[in-house]
Amino acid sequence: MATSKIVSNTRVVRASYANKARVTTAQFRVEANQEIDLSTVKEGEVILRNLYLSLDPYVRFTLDETGGDMPSSFRQLNDPFYGLGVAEVVASGYEKYPVGTLVSGNTGYEKFTRLSGLNDPNTQSDIRVLPAHARDESKGVPLSNYISALGMPGLTAYAGLKVLGIESKKTIFVGSAAGGVGQLVGQLAKVQGLRVIGSAGSDEKVLHLIEKQRFDGAFNYKTEDAREALTRLAPEGIDYYYDTVGGEILDLVLQIINEKGKILSVGMVSQENGKESYPIRNLNVIARKGVSILGFIYWHHLQYFANGELDDVVRPLLERKEITYREEVFEGIENAPTHFVNMLDGKYAGKVIIKIADL
């Protein structure tokens, strides 16, 4: 008979919907002292000890009762939130993920997560086994990077630039350039020989982009007129726009983008968290200038995880300090609600991560 091995779990559950209103900590409830018996793992299951959790804007959509692309299973009240995490397998009923394996994927906003049905061929698992060198932080690449520069944000930046088909000596404008994706987009584009400009929400973020992350120019969209700033920083015009913002800035870029320019639509953070949709007025430019607008969803490009390309290309750049990645790491799963709300309100610079436990 298996010996019981009880661990105490703390989890963050969905307490109420925000729908079209601004998200507050009232939408979250922290539940402590929830027991999990590691000896009860079944065939096709694993239990994860979560180490790092990524706080991402897309989770906002799970706080709408209906609508959007999130399945209903991700919207249930009194269930834990799910987010991208780095974890260690501590109990396994599936030989593909033995005990001790480091993985990343959708974990819970909790200390321990049980994942079931992994041996069902009809179940698509997003679990990614991390390379052995992920444990080695001696070269300046922390394990947390596997949910940032070497995780979903990194994949979004790397694959997005491939979809855009960027060419050297041209100009790319990166919206929300100090965020988890934007900071890497700009630096990877710079490595490939482009002129890179970006927008951010504070003077400190702008300075960091220019002095630490090699942007050719950046501006504070809260204090400077965007048209004047883009005209000043991109005197020869914009060839590519990596758009995570949408709204008015997208409308402006459509006006001033160069002929045959390309726009990658990754997100529209300007219209999230209860903000009203902005009607785009300059869509006629698409035909008049031959502009392309390309949609992007990161899970269409998971091959760069599977074949190791993202790790092979980006990790050496991090190790050699040719690019830097800014993370804001906070301790304690119980503090996730406060930091999630602050993240949506734009109070942080870089990728927002919760450290749950040491490896």
Side-chain angles (χ1 to χ4, degrees), residues 157-158 161 164 166-174 182-197 213-216 240 242 317 323:
Y158 181 77
L161 289 174
L164 269 177
I166 59 173
E167 299 176 12
S168 64
K169 299 182 180 179
K170 292 195 173 184
T171 298
I172 185 169
F173 170 45
V174 184
Q183 58 175 306
L184 193 57
V185 170
Q187 292 180 88
L188 290 177
K190 187 67 179 175
V191 166
Q192 296 178 63
L194 280 77
R195 176 175 174 79
V196 179
I197 58 177
Q213 297 185 315
R214 302 178 62 211
F215 277 61
D216 294 289
Y240 309 107
Y242 195 105
L317 295 173
I323 62 175

Side-chain angles (χ1 to χ4, degrees), residues 31-253:
E31 296 181 344
N33 302 316
Q34 304 288 311
E35 292 186 348
I36 291 183
D37 188 344
L38 301 185
S39 68
T40 62
V41 64
K42 300 175 183 177
E43 185 177 353
E45 282 188 344
V46 296
I47 298 175
L48 305 177
R49 181 173 70 96
N50 299 323
L51 306 173
Y52 291 95
L53 172 69
S54 173
L55 299 187
D56 293 296
Y58 75 87
V59 177
R60 166 64 181 83
F61 296 114
T62 72
L63 288 166
D64 290 338
E65 190 169 3
T66 59
D69 296 324
M70 286 288 177
S72 60
S73 59
F74 277 67
R75 302 171 185 268
Q76 300 303 305
L77 295 182
N78 304 313
D79 279 357
F81 286 85
Y82 274 80
L84 295 169
V86 169
E88 181 183 30
V89 178
V90 291
S92 178
Y94 190 38
E95 61 183 11
K96 185 177 179 180
Y97 307 117
V99 170
T101 303
L102 280 184
V103 299
S104 66
N106 262 323
T107 63
Y109 277 39
E110 54 189 352
K111 290 184 177 181
F112 293 88
T113 297
R114 185 189 296 268
L115 299 177
S116 303
L118 300 176
N119 57 345
D120 184 345
N122 297 316
T123 299
Q124 289 188 339
S125 170
D126 68 346
I127 294 180
R128 169 193 177 199
V129 176
L130 299 185
H133 60 241
R135 294 177 178 270
D136 181 9
E137 299 181 315
S138 65
K139 295 182 180 180
V141 181
L143 181 59
S144 58
N145 273 186
Y146 281 88
I147 46 171
S148 61
L150 298 170
M152 184 271 283
L155 176 67
T156 302
Y158 181 77
L161 289 174
K162 281 183 169 286
V163 172
L164 269 177
I166 59 173
E167 299 176 12
S168 64
K169 299 182 180 179
K170 292 195 173 184
T171 298
I172 185 169
F173 170 45
V174 184
S176 192
V181 174
Q183 58 175 306
L184 193 57
V185 170
Q187 292 180 88
L188 290 177
K190 187 67 179 175
V191 166
Q192 296 178 63
L194 280 77
R195 176 175 174 79
V196 179
I197 58 177
S199 64
S202 74
D203 291 342
E204 186 277 333
K205 292 177 183 179
V206 166
L207 194 63
H208 186 88
L209 290 170
I210 296 170
E211 293 189 348
K212 303 295 185 181
Q213 297 185 315
R214 302 178 62 211
F215 277 61
D216 294 289
F219 67 95
N220 182 344
Y221 68 85
K222 293 181 179 178
T223 60
E224 188 170 356
D225 180 81
R227 180 186 291 274
E228 292 178 0
L230 290 172
T231 301
R232 170 174 56 85
L233 296 171
E236 296 183 5
I238 296 168
D239 300 297
Y240 309 107
Y241 175 37
Y242 195 105
D243 183 23
T244 58
V245 180
E248 288 186 75
I249 192 69
L250 171 59
D251 222 16
L252 171 60
V253 170

Side-chain angles (χ1 to χ4, degrees), residues 253-312:
V253 170
L254 280 167
Q255 290 183 52
I256 65 177
I257 196 167
N258 288 339
E259 195 163 315
K260 295 185 179 180
K262 294 181 180 180
I263 297 171
L264 190 74
S265 180
V266 180
M268 295 200 173
V269 70
S270 68
Q271 293 167 73
E272 295 171 3
N273 203 17
K275 297 173 183 175
E276 188 175 347
S277 296
Y278 178 89
I280 302 298
R281 298 177 173 87
N282 292 302
L283 293 177
N284 61 310
V285 171
I286 297 173
R288 183 160 53 83
K289 290 186 178 179
V291 171
S292 300
I293 299 181
L294 308 164
F296 182 91
I297 302 175
Y298 87 93
W299 59 74
H300 290 168
H301 305 275
L302 296 178
Q303 71 270 21
Y304 299 119
F305 280 159
N307 64 17
E309 184 174 332
L310 179 72
D311 202 79
D312 290 343

